[in-house]
Amino acid sequence: MRFVVVIGNPRRGSRTHAVAIEAARAVVKQAAIDTEPEILDLTTIGPQLLAGEPPAAVASAVDQVMAADLLLVASPTYKGTYTGLLKVFFDRFATDALRGTTALPLMVMGSPRHALAVEVHLRPLLVELGATVPTPGLALVETDLESPGEVLAEWAERVAPALR
């Protein structure tokens, strides 16, 4: 199984990055996945995403995601939805490009008022691209980030049966 984590926070070393990695580790543990997740932090290719002809690094990132069996997509909540960086990246994919891929959406937010963003915005994006999203996404409020272990373990326990 190839497990890829896409991080759509435009800041390097973000809390979204840290929690996405921790969430991926929790999923690996709970679902007994026998591979380490590959991390794709979009900050590494962000400036290249708007190039007319995609540089090799962008094409490689697209190929990496398209080859995934399991995809965890993490973004902070900006203006009530996922980031523009994530949008620009996924705009490079054809409709149904992720057919056969199972996706897990995760969003970090400052307020519980945005909790539905993961289901109302990020899930439909992944479904539009053909991914199967068999479980509810995870909405992490900033207060959960102080010690996310318990929240992530509970979420991973909930999603694991759908991944086996």
Side-chain angles (χ1 to χ4, degrees), residues 60-124:
S60 177
V62 169
D63 290 346
Q64 180 183 14
V65 169
M66 288 180 56
D69 300 299
L70 177 60
L71 189 62
L72 188 150
V73 179
S75 175
T77 305
Y78 277 26
K79 308 298 184 211
T81 189
Y82 50 84
T83 64
L85 177 63
L86 196 63
K87 171 81 167 105
V88 169
F89 177 67
F90 279 121
D91 279 350
R92 297 230 172 236
F93 290 72
T95 300
D96 290 335
L98 297 179
R99 184 166 303 285
T101 303
T102 300
L104 303 172
L106 182 156
M107 291 186 75
V108 176
M109 54 208 58
S111 168
R113 290 188 320 253
H114 296 126
L116 284 177
V118 70
E119 297 299 324
V120 174
H121 299 293
L122 188 52
R123 173 189 288 272

Side-chain angles (χ1 to χ4, degrees), residues 16-73:
T16 304
H17 181 107
V19 80
I21 291 171
E22 195 169 338
R25 288 181 182 143
V27 168
V28 164
K29 180 179 177 183
Q30 286 294 326
I33 296 171
D34 62 355
T35 185
E36 284 297 310
E38 302 169 35
I39 308 302
L40 173 57
D41 188 332
L42 296 180
T43 60
T44 62
I45 59 168
Q48 301 168 41
L49 284 172
L50 295 175
E53 290 297 317
V58 173
S60 177
V62 169
D63 290 346
Q64 180 183 14
V65 169
M66 288 180 56
D69 300 299
L70 177 60
L71 189 62
L72 188 150
V73 179

